[in-house]
Amino acid sequence: MTQEIPYTKGLHRLSEQCWVWLVPDGSWGWSNAGLVTGERESLLVDTLFDLGLTREMLDGLAAITAEHPLSTVVNTHANGDHWFGNELVTGAEIITSAATAAEMPDNGPELLQGVLGQDGPIGRFGRHIMGQFDFESITPTYATRTFTEQLRLDIGGTTVELHCLGPAHTEGDSVVLVPGEGVLYAGDLLFIGGTPISWAGPVTNWIAACDRMLAMDADRIVPGHGPVTDKNGVREVRDYLEWVHTEAVERHRRGMSAEDAMRDISLGRFAELNERGRLAQNILAVYYELDPGMERVDTREVFRRIAELEGFS
């Protein structure tokens, strides 16, 4: 990268037309957003996990959006930390992939409230990672326009490309490329400094999505969580996913259950990543790919397994 972007909370300029709103520390729910400007309009890449966080961001963008009003919101995927604030961007067209639009109703605030209300380790872990967010005041606000594989937009003379690369992290992961600026907003196809989690899979498709991002003409890449990176950050995520796939396939071959495999695998050089307990879901994603008839583990049980690996009992 020609100039390092500090990983500090708030607004940072990436290029003439592109900005990023960073929210450290990038762990569960603390996600990034982006802003692309054109002549008398702008596009917002994702809103944040609750209304308070989103209001703070919109206030922080106000000096720019006063001259370039928000006309468009793109939600990169269906996890709430990338769309629960949609209701505050009134009057904007909201665009998602068709797969994301289909997945959003089952990933609303009530799902997370259910986890937070659990007894035992599931609830304790849920409150530890998400207890600081307010999910009660959110009115789910969905896409008004969808696309399938690719969509090109003209934002006041700035070309913006949307590419759906999922399923991977979720069913409909999209990235936002601003080709004339060399900027890529990757959503949760990239976690920098934290552990990727494959809620949907297949993991091999996520690896392929990394290869597609590496082929894009971008040298400033905004992850869904963590600091701004470049293509080396994409390679690091791909390396982790390839390692998980190899380790899980070997244990599946030996007849080991996914739950036993999560306890058996040593993280090695990936042990320093935050949220390392996400390995539990990543192993499941590989097992589902190898055995499509395998019964799916529900979200609360996944959190129990992650909590176990994170030391919550």
Side-chain angles (χ1 to χ4, degrees):
M1 292 169 56
T2 57
Q3 179 183 356
E4 184 178 355
I5 305 299
Y7 190 38
T8 55
K9 185 177 181 179
L11 186 64
H12 301 269
R13 192 166 201 160
L14 301 173
S15 71
E16 183 67 25
Q17 306 293 344
C18 295
W19 307 75
V20 61
W21 182 268
L22 296 174
V23 186
D25 60 357
S27 58
W28 295 93
W30 302 104
S31 56
N32 302 324
L35 183 71
V36 182
T37 61
E39 184 68 26
R40 294 187 295 277
E41 65 174 314
S42 61
L43 176 149
L44 182 66
V45 182
D46 288 331
T47 58
L48 303 180
F49 213 5
D50 65 16
L51 301 186
L53 282 173
T54 302
R55 283 193 190 97
E56 181 183 25
M57 176 181 69
L58 294 175
D59 288 345
L61 302 179
I64 302 170
T65 56
E67 296 185 14
H68 309 274
L70 284 169
S71 62
T72 308
V73 176
V74 175
N75 297 134
T76 56
H77 61 289
N79 285 352
D81 52 340
H82 297 261
W83 69 275
F84 279 0
N86 281 1
E87 65 184 279
L88 297 181
V89 192
T90 56
E93 181 176 54
I94 301 173
I95 304 176
T96 71
S97 70
T100 289
E103 199 175 17
M104 278 176 161
D106 292 329
N107 285 268
E110 66 282 349
L111 172 67
L112 302 178
Q113 288 174 299
V115 170
L116 296 180
Q118 291 288 297
D119 294 325
I122 298 173
R124 286 195 296 274
F125 181 65
R127 290 185 289 274
H128 171 70
I129 62 174
M130 294 184 289
Q132 58 272 65
F133 303 110
D134 176 14
F135 301 129
E136 293 187 1
S137 57
I138 294 164
T139 302
T141 304
Y142 303 120
T144 57
R145 180 182 181 184
T146 64
F147 71 102
T148 51
E149 296 181 0
Q150 184 174 334
L151 178 65
R152 177 170 290 198
L153 302 172
D154 183 335
I155 303 298
T158 301
T159 298
V160 177
E161 295 178 2
L162 312 184
H163 299 264
C164 183
L165 305 184
H169 168 65
T170 63
E171 292 291 344
D173 305 292
S174 298
V175 300
V176 179
L177 176 66
V178 190
E181 304 289 308
V183 172
L184 176 67
Y185 299 94
D188 279 6
L189 288 175
L190 286 188
F191 291 79
I192 301 301
T195 303
I197 183 166
S198 185
W199 290 113
V203 170
T204 52
N205 198 55
W206 195 338
I207 294 167
C210 288
D211 289 334
R212 289 185 64 182
M213 288 189 286
L214 288 170
M216 293 178 180
D217 187 11
D219 55 12
R220 291 196 171 180
I221 303 177
V222 178
H225 298 259
V228 176
T229 189
D230 55 19
K231 290 186 177 179
N232 286 328
V234 182
R235 294 184 185 100
E236 290 169 4
V237 170
R238 184 181 63 183
D239 286 350
Y240 172 83
L241 295 168
E242 289 177 335
W243 169 80
V244 165
H245 189 264
T246 298
E247 295 291 323
V249 166
E250 171 59 21
R251 283 156 182 81
H252 184 274
R253 185 190 64 79
R254 286 156 44 190
M256 191 177 291
S257 72
E259 191 165 8
D260 287 341
M262 81 179 196
R263 300 189 184 101
D264 186 63
I265 293 174
S266 173
L267 289 170
R269 68 187 178 96
F270 300 106
E272 298 304 313
L273 289 177
N274 295 327
E275 305 105 9
R276 54 190 176 273
R278 293 174 176 178
L279 176 69
Q281 173 60 30
N282 293 334
I283 292 167
L284 282 168
V286 177
Y287 272 51
Y288 295 148
E289 184 176 358
L290 296 171
D291 182 6
M294 178 179 167
E295 184 178 355
R296 299 275 169 153
V297 176
D298 69 28
T299 301
R300 294 175 190 180
E301 170 61 15
V302 170
F303 273 107
R304 184 195 67 78
R305 296 184 187 187
I306 293 174
E308 177 185 327
L309 290 181
E310 297 268 338
F312 284 77
S313 58

